[in-house]
Amino acid sequence: MNTRLSNVRWHRSLLVGLMIPTIFATGCWKRGKGGTGIYANPYSFTTLAGRTGMRTVSVGGSIAYADGFGSAAQFGQMSGVAADKAGNIYVADLGPGAIRKITPAGEVTTIARTGGKSLRGVAVDQAGNVYAAHWDGLIEKITPDGLVSSLAGTTTATGAPKFSRAMGVAVDQAGNVYVAENETIQIITPEGAVSTLAGKEGTAGYVDGPGSVARFSVPVGVAVDAGGNVYVAEEANHTVRKITPAGMVTTIAGRAGVDGYVDGPADRALFHDLLGVAVDGERNVYVVDFSQNTVRRISPDGMVTTLAGNMEKHGNNDGVGQAAEFTNPWGVAADSAGNLYMAESQKIRKGTPFARLGEKRAEKIQQTVVGALLLLMAAVIFVVVRHDRRKATLVR
């Protein structure tokens, strides 16, 4: 009796000992996901193309540039950046005044020379047409075949409506183009008709409300989501604004006139030099802070988090979260896969959610471990049952 009771206890102890690590591996493996450093959901940034320190001046004083693969490519001074549905990246290189294209493999080509150093923003539509915004008033369209034409504005005293201080540019699914320009957000139809969506030309301020009442102060970056909502990175007000298709303006993050660096609820978050803005398919909004050298996200529920960079240290190192170092990032774009692309001086950096990479590895390891433990449990149960049956036969 005592021997049989002892065997039962031993069998139970063995099974419990195998079940505990199995339960742990099944349900608790992912507790530590999220990455490294101080950021809860960091991005891992790598250099897609370009290299710091390669800027040269050609004969005549213009900034030299070179096409090529990866680090062999040379950029002058990048500002705006955009991504198409195939994963190609387009950047406004204001050094040589050129629109550059980077494939997913890192091949850099020049698709158009727009002339001068006034180039600021770039956008791309569903058909592959690229739009370029110039500080001196011209908005250009570049077809996939490389044909360059003026969509709106002019750099001369006569002609189409003239913009001034045009910065960021974005395009929606219907082909309407949005331009951040001289304290306003302008909209240009595919036919070239220009109207003011929000703000007042040349009048800086901070007011939320209907388009004609709203006021901006140095709007720079602009992005548009699938629903036609426009997002604006506002440098002087240190805020991120949202404009509905009807023209209603609200502040989605930051405090007007208060600069700083604070993550958390959007109404308490603080920013400094906001230049670039992007939005993904889930309406997460991404901004880059030029002087704080960081990339931050505003979630649909209004939480601001830092994804990468270190406001206390600029540099050129690739890495995860706080280990990634940036120097004066200007533009940011998001693709359909959740990756980010950042235009930073002479490099294009690619950011991937680190948690996503970690989860894939963890899931594979988890499946392997759980499978092995289950097989071991089945083998132990088989041996124990067979042992008890044999022993029972001998007793009889």
Side-chain angles (χ1 to χ4, degrees), residues 181-217:
E181 181 264 343
N182 197 18
E183 320 304 356
T184 68
I185 303 301
Q186 301 287 327
I187 180 170
I188 310 168
T189 67
E191 295 74 31
V194 179
S195 60
T196 300
L197 178 64
K200 183 177 181 180
E201 189 83 17
T203 303
Y206 174 77
V207 179
D208 282 340
S212 60
V213 174
R215 295 292 181 266
F216 300 90
S217 187

PDB file of all heavy atoms in Angstrom, residues 181-217:
ATOM      1  N   GLU A 181       1.795  75.889 -46.512  1.00  0.00           N
ATOM      2  CA  GLU A 181       2.341  77.065 -47.182  1.00  0.00           C
ATOM      3  C   GLU A 181       1.923  78.349 -46.478  1.00  0.00           C
ATOM      4  O   GLU A 181       0.726  78.641 -46.349  1.00  0.00           O
ATOM      5  CB  GLU A 181       1.860  77.065 -48.641  1.00  0.00           C
ATOM      6  CG  GLU A 181       2.351  78.202 -49.504  1.00  0.00           C
ATOM      7  CD  GLU A 181       1.366  79.362 -49.588  1.00  0.00           C
ATOM      8  OE1 GLU A 181       0.189  79.168 -49.244  1.00  0.00           O
ATOM      9  OE2 GLU A 181       1.796  80.455 -50.000  1.00  0.00           O
ATOM     10  N   ASN A 182       2.895  79.105 -45.990  1.00  0.00           N
ATOM     11  CA  ASN A 182       2.690  80.462 -45.465  1.00  0.00           C
ATOM     12  C   ASN A 182       1.502  80.559 -44.509  1.00  0.00           C
ATOM     13  O   ASN A 182       0.572  81.323 -44.720  1.00  0.00           O
ATOM     14  CB  ASN A 182       2.525  81.449 -46.630  1.00  0.00           C
ATOM     15  CG  ASN A 182       2.721  82.885 -46.192  1.00  0.00           C
ATOM     16  OD1 ASN A 182       3.285  83.164 -45.132  1.00  0.00           O
ATOM     17  ND2 ASN A 182       2.251  83.815 -47.005  1.00  0.00           N
ATOM     18  N   GLU A 183       1.536  79.725 -43.454  1.00  0.00           N
ATOM     19  CA  GLU A 183       0.535  79.700 -42.377  1.00  0.00           C
ATOM     20  C   GLU A 183      -0.813  79.135 -42.822  1.00  0.00           C
ATOM     21  O   GLU A 183      -1.825  79.337 -42.143  1.00  0.00           O
ATOM     22  CB  GLU A 183       0.323  81.101 -41.771  1.00  0.00           C
ATOM     23  CG  GLU A 183       1.557  81.937 -41.581  1.00  0.00           C
ATOM     24  CD  GLU A 183       2.652  81.283 -40.737  1.00  0.00           C
ATOM     25  OE1 GLU A 183       2.451  80.183 -40.215  1.00  0.00           O
ATOM     26  OE2 GLU A 183       3.729  81.887 -40.612  1.00  0.00           O
ATOM     27  N   THR A 184      -0.827  78.432 -43.946  1.00  0.00           N
ATOM     28  CA  THR A 184      -2.070  77.820 -44.416  1.00  0.00           C
ATOM     29  C   THR A 184      -1.823  76.398 -44.891  1.00  0.00           C
ATOM     30  O   THR A 184      -0.680  75.976 -45.101  1.00  0.00           O
ATOM     31  CB  THR A 184      -2.682  78.606 -45.607  1.00  0.00           C
ATOM     32  OG1 THR A 184      -1.828  78.457 -46.746  1.00  0.00           O
ATOM     33  CG2 THR A 184      -2.875  80.071 -45.275  1.00  0.00           C
ATOM     34  N   ILE A 185      -2.909  75.685 -45.084  1.00  0.00           N
ATOM     35  CA  ILE A 185      -2.879  74.408 -45.793  1.00  0.00           C
ATOM     36  C   ILE A 185      -3.714  74.603 -47.054  1.00  0.00           C
ATOM     37  O   ILE A 185      -4.923  74.882 -46.991  1.00  0.00           O
ATOM     38  CB  ILE A 185      -3.448  73.260 -44.940  1.00  0.00           C
ATOM     39  CG1 ILE A 185      -2.684  73.143 -43.628  1.00  0.00           C
ATOM     40  CG2 ILE A 185      -3.387  71.953 -45.732  1.00  0.00           C
ATOM     41  CD1 ILE A 185      -1.192  72.881 -43.777  1.00  0.00           C
ATOM     42  N   GLN A 186      -3.051  74.479 -48.202  1.00  0.00           N
ATOM     43  CA  GLN A 186      -3.703  74.661 -49.498  1.00  0.00           C
ATOM     44  C   GLN A 186      -4.057  73.300 -50.091  1.00  0.00           C
ATOM     45  O   GLN A 186      -3.383  72.299 -49.833  1.00  0.00           O
ATOM     46  CB  GLN A 186      -2.775  75.411 -50.454  1.00  0.00           C
ATOM     47  CG  GLN A 186      -2.341  76.774 -49.973  1.00  0.00           C
ATOM     48  CD  GLN A 186      -3.458  77.794 -50.047  1.00  0.00           C
ATOM     49  OE1 GLN A 186      -4.306  77.734 -50.942  1.00  0.00           O
ATOM     50  NE2 GLN A 186      -3.475  78.739 -49.113  1.00  0.00           N
ATOM     51  N   ILE A 187      -5.129  73.273 -50.877  1.00  0.00           N
ATOM     52  CA  ILE A 187      -5.514  72.050 -51.577  1.00  0.00           C
ATOM     53  C   ILE A 187      -5.558  72.341 -53.074  1.00  0.00           C
ATOM     54  O   ILE A 187      -6.079  73.370 -53.501  1.00  0.00           O
ATOM     55  CB  ILE A 187      -6.872  71.517 -51.059  1.00  0.00           C
ATOM     56  CG1 ILE A 187      -7.260  70.230 -51.808  1.00  0.00           C
ATOM     57  CG2 ILE A 187      -7.964  72.563 -51.154  1.00  0.00           C
ATOM     58  CD1 ILE A 187      -8.468  69.522 -51.185  1.00  0.00           C
ATOM     59  N   ILE A 188      -4.960  71.424 -53.839  1.00  0.00           N
ATOM     60  CA  ILE A 188      -4.908  71.557 -55.297  1.00  0.00           C
ATOM     61  C   ILE A 188      -5.599  70.341 -55.898  1.00  0.00           C
ATOM     62  O   ILE A 188      -5.211  69.203 -55.627  1.00  0.00           O
ATOM     63  CB  ILE A 188      -3.457  71.620 -55.802  1.00  0.00           C
ATOM     64  CG1 ILE A 188      -2.657  72.666 -55.020  1.00  0.00           C
ATOM     65  CG2 ILE A 188      -3.406  71.903 -57.295  1.00  0.00           C
ATOM     66  CD1 ILE A 188      -1.161  72.582 -55.249  1.00  0.00           C
ATOM     67  N   THR A 189      -6.615  70.568 -56.703  1.00  0.00           N
ATOM     68  CA  THR A 189      -7.326  69.465 -57.331  1.00  0.00           C
ATOM     69  C   THR A 189      -6.483  68.892 -58.470  1.00  0.00           C
ATOM     70  O   THR A 189      -5.526  69.530 -58.924  1.00  0.00           O
ATOM     71  CB  THR A 189      -8.678  69.937 -57.891  1.00  0.00           C
ATOM     72  OG1 THR A 189      -8.432  70.835 -58.985  1.00  0.00           O
ATOM     73  CG2 THR A 189      -9.502  70.629 -56.818  1.00  0.00           C
ATOM     74  N   PRO A 190      -6.823  67.696 -58.951  1.00  0.00           N
ATOM     75  CA  PRO A 190      -6.086  67.132 -60.094  1.00  0.00           C
ATOM     76  C   PRO A 190      -6.098  68.037 -61.320  1.00  0.00           C
ATOM     77  O   PRO A 190      -5.196  67.971 -62.156  1.00  0.00           O
ATOM     78  CB  PRO A 190      -6.822  65.815 -60.360  1.00  0.00           C
ATOM     79  CG  PRO A 190      -7.404  65.432 -59.040  1.00  0.00           C
ATOM     80  CD  PRO A 190      -7.793  66.730 -58.402  1.00  0.00           C
ATOM     81  N   GLU A 191      -7.095  68.923 -61.422  1.00  0.00           N
ATOM     82  CA  GLU A 191      -7.182  69.843 -62.553  1.00  0.00           C
ATOM     83  C   GLU A 191      -6.358  71.111 -62.326  1.00  0.00           C
ATOM     84  O   GLU A 191      -6.242  71.953 -63.223  1.00  0.00           O
ATOM     85  CB  GLU A 191      -8.637  70.238 -62.803  1.00  0.00           C
ATOM     86  CG  GLU A 191      -9.539  69.088 -63.242  1.00  0.00           C
ATOM     87  CD  GLU A 191      -9.880  68.138 -62.103  1.00  0.00           C
ATOM     88  OE1 GLU A 191      -9.957  68.605 -60.945  1.00  0.00           O
ATOM     89  OE2 GLU A 191     -10.059  66.935 -62.374  1.00  0.00           O
ATOM     90  N   GLY A 192      -5.798  71.258 -61.118  1.00  0.00           N
ATOM     91  CA  GLY A 192      -4.951  72.413 -60.839  1.00  0.00           C
ATOM     92  C   GLY A 192      -5.639  73.564 -60.137  1.00  0.00           C
ATOM     93  O   GLY A 192      -5.022  74.614 -59.920  1.00  0.00           O
ATOM     94  N   ALA A 193      -6.918  73.406 -59.743  1.00  0.00           N
ATOM     95  CA  ALA A 193      -7.616  74.463 -59.007  1.00  0.00           C
ATOM     96  C   ALA A 193      -7.093  74.533 -57.580  1.00  0.00           C
ATOM     97  O   ALA A 193      -6.956  73.506 -56.903  1.00  0.00           O
ATOM     98  CB  ALA A 193      -9.118  74.200 -59.012  1.00  0.00           C
ATOM     99  N   VAL A 194      -6.815  75.747 -57.113  1.00  0.00           N
ATOM    100  CA  VAL A 194      -6.209  75.943 -55.796  1.00  0.00           C
ATOM    101  C   VAL A 194      -7.202  76.628 -54.865  1.00  0.00           C
ATOM    102  O   VAL A 194      -7.868  77.603 -55.247  1.00  0.00           O
ATOM    103  CB  VAL A 194      -4.933  76.807 -55.898  1.00  0.00           C
ATOM    104  CG1 VAL A 194      -4.312  77.024 -54.523  1.00  0.00           C
ATOM    105  CG2 VAL A 194      -3.922  76.159 -56.837  1.00  0.00           C
ATOM    106  N   SER A 195      -7.302  76.124 -53.617  1.00  0.00           N
ATOM    107  CA  SER A 195      -8.132  76.772 -52.598  1.00  0.00           C
ATOM    108  C   SER A 195      -7.502  76.550 -51.230  1.00  0.00           C
ATOM    109  O   SER A 195      -6.664  75.663 -51.052  1.00  0.00           O
ATOM    110  CB  SER A 195      -9.566  76.227 -52.625  1.00  0.00           C
ATOM    111  OG  SER A 195      -9.574  74.834 -52.376  1.00  0.00           O
ATOM    112  N   THR A 196      -7.904  77.354 -50.272  1.00  0.00           N
ATOM    113  CA  THR A 196      -7.370  77.246 -48.918  1.00  0.00           C
ATOM    114  C   THR A 196      -8.251  76.313 -48.094  1.00  0.00           C
ATOM    115  O   THR A 196      -9.456  76.560 -47.945  1.00  0.00           O
ATOM    116  CB  THR A 196      -7.308  78.628 -48.240  1.00  0.00           C
ATOM    117  OG1 THR A 196      -6.461  79.486 -49.003  1.00  0.00           O
ATOM    118  CG2 THR A 196      -6.750  78.510 -46.824  1.00  0.00           C
ATOM    119  N   LEU A 197      -7.652  75.255 -47.576  1.00  0.00           N
ATOM    120  CA  LEU A 197      -8.391  74.316 -46.732  1.00  0.00           C
ATOM    121  C   LEU A 197      -8.526  74.861 -45.316  1.00  0.00           C
ATOM    122  O   LEU A 197      -9.577  74.750 -44.690  1.00  0.00           O
ATOM    123  CB  LEU A 197      -7.684  72.957 -46.712  1.00  0.00           C
ATOM    124  CG  LEU A 197      -8.311  71.872 -45.842  1.00  0.00           C
ATOM    125  CD1 LEU A 197      -9.707  71.506 -46.357  1.00  0.00           C
ATOM    126  CD2 LEU A 197      -7.425  70.631 -45.809  1.00  0.00           C
ATOM    127  N   ALA A 198      -7.445  75.447 -44.801  1.00  0.00           N
ATOM    128  CA  ALA A 198      -7.471  75.987 -43.435  1.00  0.00           C
ATOM    129  C   ALA A 198      -6.363  77.015 -43.272  1.00  0.00           C
ATOM    130  O   ALA A 198      -5.323  76.949 -43.919  1.00  0.00           O
ATOM    131  CB  ALA A 198      -7.317  74.871 -42.415  1.00  0.00           C
ATOM    132  N   GLY A 199      -6.607  77.970 -42.369  1.00  0.00           N
ATOM    133  CA  GLY A 199      -5.625  79.004 -42.078  1.00  0.00           C
ATOM    134  C   GLY A 199      -5.853  80.267 -42.894  1.00  0.00           C
ATOM    135  O   GLY A 199      -6.729  80.318 -43.771  1.00  0.00           O
ATOM    136  N   LYS A 200      -5.048  81.282 -42.598  1.00  0.00           N
ATOM    137  CA  LYS A 200      -5.117  82.546 -43.325  1.00  0.00           C
ATOM    138  C   LYS A 200      -3.728  82.928 -43.803  1.00  0.00           C
ATOM    139  O   LYS A 200      -2.774  82.944 -43.028  1.00  0.00           O
ATOM    140  CB  LYS A 200      -5.684  83.656 -42.429  1.00  0.00           C
ATOM    141  CG  LYS A 200      -5.861  84.986 -43.153  1.00  0.00           C
ATOM    142  CD  LYS A 200      -6.489  86.030 -42.251  1.00  0.00           C
ATOM    143  CE  LYS A 200      -6.676  87.353 -43.004  1.00  0.00           C
ATOM    144  NZ  LYS A 200      -7.289  88.393 -42.137  1.00  0.00           N
ATOM    145  N   GLU A 201      -3.619  83.218 -45.069  1.00  0.00           N
ATOM    146  CA  GLU A 201      -2.339  83.513 -45.713  1.00  0.00           C
ATOM    147  C   GLU A 201      -1.580  84.605 -44.962  1.00  0.00           C
ATOM    148  O   GLU A 201      -2.079  85.719 -44.745  1.00  0.00           O
ATOM    149  CB  GLU A 201      -2.589  83.961 -47.149  1.00  0.00           C
ATOM    150  CG  GLU A 201      -1.329  84.083 -47.991  1.00  0.00           C
ATOM    151  CD  GLU A 201      -0.863  82.760 -48.571  1.00  0.00           C
ATOM    152  OE1 GLU A 201      -1.677  81.813 -48.591  1.00  0.00           O
ATOM    153  OE2 GLU A 201       0.293  82.689 -49.002  1.00  0.00           O
ATOM    154  N   GLY A 202      -0.360  84.264 -44.541  1.00  0.00           N
ATOM    155  CA  GLY A 202       0.520  85.237 -43.914  1.00  0.00           C
ATOM    156  C   GLY A 202       0.175  85.622 -42.490  1.00  0.00           C
ATOM    157  O   GLY A 202       0.834  86.492 -41.908  1.00  0.00           O
ATOM    158  N   THR A 203      -0.849  84.990 -41.898  1.00  0.00           N
ATOM    159  CA  THR A 203      -1.272  85.339 -40.538  1.00  0.00           C
ATOM    160  C   THR A 203      -0.983  84.181 -39.593  1.00  0.00           C
ATOM    161  O   THR A 203      -1.672  83.161 -39.608  1.00  0.00           O
ATOM    162  CB  THR A 203      -2.771  85.678 -40.489  1.00  0.00           C
ATOM    163  OG1 THR A 203      -3.041  86.750 -41.400  1.00  0.00           O
ATOM    164  CG2 THR A 203      -3.190  86.098 -39.085  1.00  0.00           C
ATOM    165  N   ALA A 204       0.032  84.327 -38.772  1.00  0.00           N
ATOM    166  CA  ALA A 204       0.425  83.277 -37.830  1.00  0.00           C
ATOM    167  C   ALA A 204      -0.412  83.361 -36.564  1.00  0.00           C
ATOM    168  O   ALA A 204      -0.882  84.432 -36.176  1.00  0.00           O
ATOM    169  CB  ALA A 204       1.904  83.398 -37.489  1.00  0.00           C
ATOM    170  N   GLY A 205      -0.601  82.228 -35.919  1.00  0.00           N
ATOM    171  CA  GLY A 205      -1.331  82.189 -34.667  1.00  0.00           C
ATOM    172  C   GLY A 205      -1.638  80.771 -34.270  1.00  0.00           C
ATOM    173  O   GLY A 205      -1.083  79.813 -34.835  1.00  0.00           O
ATOM    174  N   TYR A 206      -2.519  80.627 -33.299  1.00  0.00           N
ATOM    175  CA  TYR A 206      -2.945  79.292 -32.881  1.00  0.00           C
ATOM    176  C   TYR A 206      -4.427  79.344 -32.527  1.00  0.00           C
ATOM    177  O   TYR A 206      -4.820  79.895 -31.491  1.00  0.00           O
ATOM    178  CB  TYR A 206      -2.147  78.793 -31.681  1.00  0.00           C
ATOM    179  CG  TYR A 206      -2.676  77.474 -31.129  1.00  0.00           C
ATOM    180  CD1 TYR A 206      -2.402  76.279 -31.786  1.00  0.00           C
ATOM    181  CD2 TYR A 206      -3.489  77.444 -30.001  1.00  0.00           C
ATOM    182  CE1 TYR A 206      -2.914  75.085 -31.318  1.00  0.00           C
ATOM    183  CE2 TYR A 206      -3.999  76.254 -29.520  1.00  0.00           C
ATOM    184  CZ  TYR A 206      -3.713  75.077 -30.177  1.00  0.00           C
ATOM    185  OH  TYR A 206      -4.221  73.887 -29.732  1.00  0.00           O
ATOM    186  N   VAL A 207      -5.233  78.808 -33.427  1.00  0.00           N
ATOM    187  CA  VAL A 207      -6.677  78.720 -33.210  1.00  0.00           C
ATOM    188  C   VAL A 207      -7.172  77.428 -33.833  1.00  0.00           C
ATOM    189  O   VAL A 207      -6.902  77.160 -35.010  1.00  0.00           O
ATOM    190  CB  VAL A 207      -7.434  79.912 -33.850  1.00  0.00           C
ATOM    191  CG1 VAL A 207      -8.934  79.762 -33.606  1.00  0.00           C
ATOM    192  CG2 VAL A 207      -6.935  81.235 -33.304  1.00  0.00           C
ATOM    193  N   ASP A 208      -7.892  76.618 -33.053  1.00  0.00           N
ATOM    194  CA  ASP A 208      -8.612  75.479 -33.603  1.00  0.00           C
ATOM    195  C   ASP A 208      -9.997  75.942 -34.030  1.00  0.00           C
ATOM    196  O   ASP A 208     -10.524  76.942 -33.527  1.00  0.00           O
ATOM    197  CB  ASP A 208      -8.741  74.370 -32.560  1.00  0.00           C
ATOM    198  CG  ASP A 208      -7.458  73.567 -32.397  1.00  0.00           C
ATOM    199  OD1 ASP A 208      -6.620  73.607 -33.317  1.00  0.00           O
ATOM    200  OD2 ASP A 208      -7.294  72.910 -31.347  1.00  0.00           O
ATOM    201  N   GLY A 209     -10.603  75.203 -34.957  1.00  0.00           N
ATOM    202  CA  GLY A 209     -11.944  75.559 -35.398  1.00  0.00           C
ATOM    203  C   GLY A 209     -12.104  75.382 -36.889  1.00  0.00           C
ATOM    204  O   GLY A 209     -11.281  74.724 -37.551  1.00  0.00           O
ATOM    205  N   PRO A 210     -13.171  75.950 -37.466  1.00  0.00           N
ATOM    206  CA  PRO A 210     -13.393  75.847 -38.914  1.00  0.00           C
ATOM    207  C   PRO A 210     -12.214  76.422 -39.688  1.00  0.00           C
ATOM    208  O   PRO A 210     -11.492  77.304 -39.209  1.00  0.00           O
ATOM    209  CB  PRO A 210     -14.663  76.676 -39.128  1.00  0.00           C
ATOM    210  CG  PRO A 210     -15.337  76.701 -37.791  1.00  0.00           C
ATOM    211  CD  PRO A 210     -14.243  76.689 -36.787  1.00  0.00           C
ATOM    212  N   GLY A 211     -12.029  75.934 -40.906  1.00  0.00           N
ATOM    213  CA  GLY A 211     -10.860  76.290 -41.705  1.00  0.00           C
ATOM    214  C   GLY A 211     -10.535  77.754 -41.783  1.00  0.00           C
ATOM    215  O   GLY A 211      -9.383  78.160 -41.578  1.00  0.00           O
ATOM    216  N   SER A 212     -11.519  78.606 -42.041  1.00  0.00           N
ATOM    217  CA  SER A 212     -11.249  80.030 -42.200  1.00  0.00           C
ATOM    218  C   SER A 212     -10.905  80.714 -40.886  1.00  0.00           C
ATOM    219  O   SER A 212     -10.281  81.774 -40.872  1.00  0.00           O
ATOM    220  CB  SER A 212     -12.464  80.717 -42.835  1.00  0.00           C
ATOM    221  OG  SER A 212     -13.612  80.553 -42.008  1.00  0.00           O
ATOM    222  N   VAL A 213     -11.303  80.101 -39.780  1.00  0.00           N
ATOM    223  CA  VAL A 213     -11.029  80.655 -38.451  1.00  0.00           C
ATOM    224  C   VAL A 213      -9.694  80.142 -37.910  1.00  0.00           C
ATOM    225  O   VAL A 213      -9.006  80.849 -37.161  1.00  0.00           O
ATOM    226  CB  VAL A 213     -12.172  80.296 -37.476  1.00  0.00           C
ATOM    227  CG1 VAL A 213     -11.851  80.739 -36.052  1.00  0.00           C
ATOM    228  CG2 VAL A 213     -13.477  80.913 -37.958  1.00  0.00           C
ATOM    229  N   ALA A 214      -9.329  78.931 -38.265  1.00  0.00           N
ATOM    230  CA  ALA A 214      -8.117  78.293 -37.730  1.00  0.00           C
ATOM    231  C   ALA A 214      -6.867  79.089 -38.084  1.00  0.00           C
ATOM    232  O   ALA A 214      -6.803  79.748 -39.125  1.00  0.00           O
ATOM    233  CB  ALA A 214      -7.998  76.875 -38.270  1.00  0.00           C
ATOM    234  N   ARG A 215      -5.884  79.013 -37.201  1.00  0.00           N
ATOM    235  CA  ARG A 215      -4.608  79.677 -37.435  1.00  0.00           C
ATOM    236  C   ARG A 215      -3.468  78.707 -37.138  1.00  0.00           C
ATOM    237  O   ARG A 215      -3.549  77.891 -36.208  1.00  0.00           O
ATOM    238  CB  ARG A 215      -4.466  80.921 -36.546  1.00  0.00           C
ATOM    239  CG  ARG A 215      -5.476  82.024 -36.864  1.00  0.00           C
ATOM    240  CD  ARG A 215      -5.218  82.639 -38.228  1.00  0.00           C
ATOM    241  NE  ARG A 215      -6.171  83.714 -38.519  1.00  0.00           N
ATOM    242  CZ  ARG A 215      -7.311  83.531 -39.197  1.00  0.00           C
ATOM    243  NH1 ARG A 215      -7.643  82.308 -39.632  1.00  0.00           N
ATOM    244  NH2 ARG A 215      -8.114  84.537 -39.430  1.00  0.00           N
ATOM    245  N   PHE A 216      -2.405  78.823 -37.945  1.00  0.00           N
ATOM    246  CA  PHE A 216      -1.208  78.012 -37.796  1.00  0.00           C
ATOM    247  C   PHE A 216       0.003  78.923 -37.641  1.00  0.00           C
ATOM    248  O   PHE A 216      -0.053  80.113 -37.981  1.00  0.00           O
ATOM    249  CB  PHE A 216      -1.004  77.117 -39.022  1.00  0.00           C
ATOM    250  CG  PHE A 216      -2.134  76.164 -39.297  1.00  0.00           C
ATOM    251  CD1 PHE A 216      -3.199  76.539 -40.115  1.00  0.00           C
ATOM    252  CD2 PHE A 216      -2.138  74.904 -38.742  1.00  0.00           C
ATOM    253  CE1 PHE A 216      -4.236  75.670 -40.381  1.00  0.00           C
ATOM    254  CE2 PHE A 216      -3.172  74.019 -38.996  1.00  0.00           C
ATOM    255  CZ  PHE A 216      -4.228  74.403 -39.820  1.00  0.00           C
ATOM    256  N   SER A 217       1.082  78.341 -37.168  1.00  0.00           N
ATOM    257  CA  SER A 217       2.346  79.079 -37.081  1.00  0.00           C
ATOM    258  C   SER A 217       3.476  78.168 -37.541  1.00  0.00           C
ATOM    259  O   SER A 217       3.851  77.220 -36.852  1.00  0.00           O
ATOM    260  CB  SER A 217       2.607  79.568 -35.656  1.00  0.00           C
ATOM    261  OG  SER A 217       3.736  80.410 -35.610  1.00  0.00           O
TER     262      SER A 217
END
